[in-house]
Amino acid sequence: MLNRIVLTGRLTRDPELRRTLNETAVASFTLAVDDGFKDVNGNPTTTFIDVTVFDKQADNVAKFCRKGRLVGVDGRIHQRKFERKDGSKGSVIEIIASNVTFLEPKNKDEAAAEQGYVTDIQPPVSDDSKNLDAIDVTDDDLPF
């Protein structure tokens, strides 16, 4: 039997990182996946899927992923059953990811900010290059 799923989607929220009692990293997030269909109003339909990832992958997801980031998830479907305080039973179906691939590069400002660089300084803009005919240059002015 085979239990494997591969999804591509965008994070609907920042990942939540926590640790187990033996300090194993666990990150959880929700992935919005386009179904490829449209509803009766012509709007695309989306499925929201809970994803859990462990160990080093969890640390990386928590460090580098934010809401809206496009990721690929490779893992397996897992059904978790539980009992509520009122005694009723419930279950959750989630993806246990074995691999999360970051499918978009960080933008320049995010990368620079993580390195501690200021990114709001803009280089001076000169319009001289657009109006070269207005520059009066004679052959005597040229060094060659």
Side-chain angles (χ1 to χ4, degrees):
M1 289 191 259
L2 180 66
N3 181 358
R4 182 170 183 208
I5 188 163
V6 178
L7 300 168
T8 301
R10 294 194 180 275
L11 275 69
T12 63
R13 59 183 168 85
D14 289 351
E16 177 185 322
L17 181 66
R18 56 195 184 286
R19 303 245 176 228
T20 64
L21 294 176
N22 62 355
E23 293 300 310
T24 300
V26 181
S28 300
F29 57 93
T30 301
L31 198 64
V33 179
D34 183 6
D35 292 338
F37 298 103
K38 294 187 178 182
D39 65 14
V40 294
N41 297 324
N43 299 318
T45 58
T46 304
T47 299
F48 299 94
I49 301 168
D50 292 329
V51 179
T52 302
V53 61
F54 294 90
D55 298 321
K56 184 68 174 167
Q57 284 276 313
D59 287 326
N60 287 336
V61 165
K63 184 176 180 181
F64 297 112
C65 288
R66 295 288 169 257
K67 178 180 177 178
R69 185 65 50 107
L70 182 68
V71 297
V73 173
D74 185 356
R76 62 185 170 84
I77 296 175
H78 176 73
Q79 182 179 24
R80 194 167 27 98
K81 296 180 180 183
F82 59 92
E83 187 172 320
R84 294 184 183 94
K85 290 180 181 178
D86 66 2
S88 64
K89 297 187 188 274
S91 70
V92 174
I93 294 180
E94 62 188 344
I95 304 301
I96 304 298
S98 56
N99 189 34
V100 177
T101 304
F102 309 141
L103 298 176
E104 291 179 314
K106 287 192 285 187
N107 69 40
K108 293 186 304 186
D109 293 338
E110 281 182 76
E114 282 186 7
Q115 297 297 320
Y117 298 114
V118 177
T119 61
D120 59 353
I121 299 173
Q122 299 295 323
V125 177
S126 173
D127 290 331
D128 291 343
S129 63
K130 295 179 182 176
N131 191 10
L132 294 178
D133 294 335
I135 300 174
D136 185 24
V137 178
T138 63
D139 288 341
D140 295 334
D141 293 335
L142 299 176
F144 49 90

